[in-house]
Amino acid sequence: MKICRTVEEMRAVVNEWRACGLKIGLVPTMGYLHAGHISLVKIARKNADRVVLSLFVNPTQFGPTEDLDKYPRDFERDRQACEENGVDAIFAPTPAVMYDEDFSTWVKEESLSQVMCGVTRPIHFRGVCTVCLKLFNITRADVAVFGRKDAQQALIIERMVRDLNVPIKIITAPLVREEDGLALSSRNRYLSEDEHRRALSLSQGLFAAEKAFANGERNAAALIALVENSVSANGGKIDYVVVNARNTLRPLETIDRPALLAAAVYFGTTRLIDNVFLG
Ligand code: PAF
């Protein structure tokens, strides 16, 4: 497995692969890998000849009061997980490699980014789009795999790729949960045992809403209330719970098309997101 720290090192590796006609799959991550990331690697493997996993805690997608400094990092642990799971190359740049001191070009998606996480994290998706486009350009990937836990992020990346004619296929992979139902996230390690137990009320509320939908409930407010009540009853603080059209992220009152029931909540200082598809 190759470990590339600079753009030049990464380019040399992918140029060689491309010269041999090999297809490249990219799994963009911020590291501290868990089973959700490994599921993305497996999907990349199936869709490409060589898999690159990027490990980069991207500073430009964190707001000034967010958890950039305390975001978990463990290169050796991640390197081992990549080795064990058939990653062909890790791209692990420093912020200085990715962002020149006078960096001044940004990619800003202006519709899907205005709702949900974009409200409380106003610069987040600008940072995500910019770094992803840079990663696509650096790795010359044919396909990139994103997780559906960040359903809004995956949709925004698809929109950027479509709007800017980026020659890459985006695959959105199923959400992976812990056995107890909590959606896997590197941030789960911030939760105390008690917070973890109470945080299960988020997936439990979403599953209750999913069940109500399966039983015929089409009123968005009723489904939102099931999630909000479950989280609030367990001491969680709601950032948002929404039912939006799956393709446009416009809010729905009545669920008459494929929808996304998505939530962001806090347990203690940890912000968790989760979602289910309806219809
Ligand atoms: O989902 C993430 O981990 C990040 O937002 C991503 C896509 C790696 C960009 O930094």
Side-chain angles (χ1 to χ4, degrees):
M1 185 178 68
K2 312 226 185 263
I3 295 173
C4 307
R5 299 278 185 186
T6 66
V7 174
E8 293 71 27
E9 284 168 8
M10 189 73 250
R11 280 259 168 82
V13 170
V14 296
N15 287 348
E16 212 171 286
W17 289 342
R18 290 194 79 90
C20 300
L22 298 174
K23 200 169 160 188
I24 298 167
L26 170 68
V27 179
T29 82
M30 297 208 297
Y32 214 75
L33 304 178
H34 51 64
H37 295 117
I38 302 306
S39 76
L40 307 184
V41 170
K42 291 196 172 128
I43 291 171
R45 264 258 78 85
K46 283 200 186 123
N47 287 275
D49 303 305
R50 293 289 181 271
V51 176
V52 178
L53 182 139
S54 60
L55 288 177
F56 180 58
V57 183
N58 174 34
T60 67
Q61 67 189 73
F62 288 79
T65 59
E66 292 180 354
D67 57 343
L68 173 63
D69 290 339
K70 75 165 188 171
Y71 197 86
R73 293 159 170 93
D74 189 338
F75 179 78
E76 187 43 37
R77 180 181 172 276
D78 289 343
R79 191 199 58 73
Q80 217 170 314
C82 288
E83 193 110 67
E84 283 164 10
N85 288 282
V87 169
D88 297 291
I90 291 177
F91 179 50
T94 58
V97 163
M98 291 299 273
Y99 297 104
D100 281 312
E101 249 173 54
D102 56 352
F103 184 91
S104 58
T105 308
W106 299 97
V107 182
K108 193 159 177 265
E109 191 287 325
E110 293 193 328
S111 171
L112 305 166
S113 308
Q114 304 295 315
V115 296
M116 298 165 58
C117 292
V119 176
T120 27
R121 307 188 73 191
I123 61 153
H124 177 66
F125 291 115
R126 182 188 77 157
V128 169
C129 285
T130 304
V131 82
C132 285
L133 187 59
K134 284 169 70 67
L135 292 170
F136 296 166
N137 287 334
I138 294 164
T139 61
R140 302 181 65 199
D142 299 278
V143 38
V145 189
F146 290 82
R148 208 203 75 198
K149 183 174 76 68
D150 298 287
Q152 185 179 17
Q153 167 174 280
L155 203 60
I156 290 170
I157 296 294
E158 277 175 9
R159 175 68 62 90
M160 172 187 81
V161 162
R162 187 203 71 182
D163 286 353
L164 301 182
N165 307 99
V166 186
I168 193 167
K169 180 178 165 197
I170 302 300
I171 298 178
T172 305
L175 193 156
V176 182
R177 297 182 180 282
E178 291 187 20
E179 253 176 48
D180 58 15
L182 190 70
L184 282 180
S185 163
S186 304
R187 288 188 169 99
N188 289 354
R189 80 183 291 270
Y190 298 153
L191 297 167
S192 67
E193 216 172 288
D194 173 59
E195 285 166 347
H196 184 123
R197 190 184 46 72
R198 289 186 293 112
L200 299 182
S201 59
L202 173 56
S203 52
Q204 283 160 1
L206 290 166
F207 297 155
E210 206 175 23
K211 194 164 166 205
F213 178 80
N215 289 334
E217 180 62 78
R218 292 295 178 268
N219 183 280
L223 299 180
I224 289 170
L226 283 173
V227 182
E228 287 185 343
N229 293 341
S230 174
V231 169
S232 302
N234 285 279
K237 198 178 118 225
I238 310 273
D239 178 352
Y240 66 78
V241 182
V242 294
V243 174
N244 289 349
R246 209 180 297 160
N247 294 336
T248 62
L249 298 186
R250 297 238 168 83
L252 296 176
E253 278 178 24
T254 303
I255 305 168
D256 55 3
R257 66 200 72 188
L260 175 71
L261 169 57
V265 303
Y266 290 89
F267 283 90
T269 54
T270 306
R271 186 173 182 276
L272 300 174
I273 57 171
D274 198 348
N275 67 77
V276 292
F277 280 179
L278 302 174

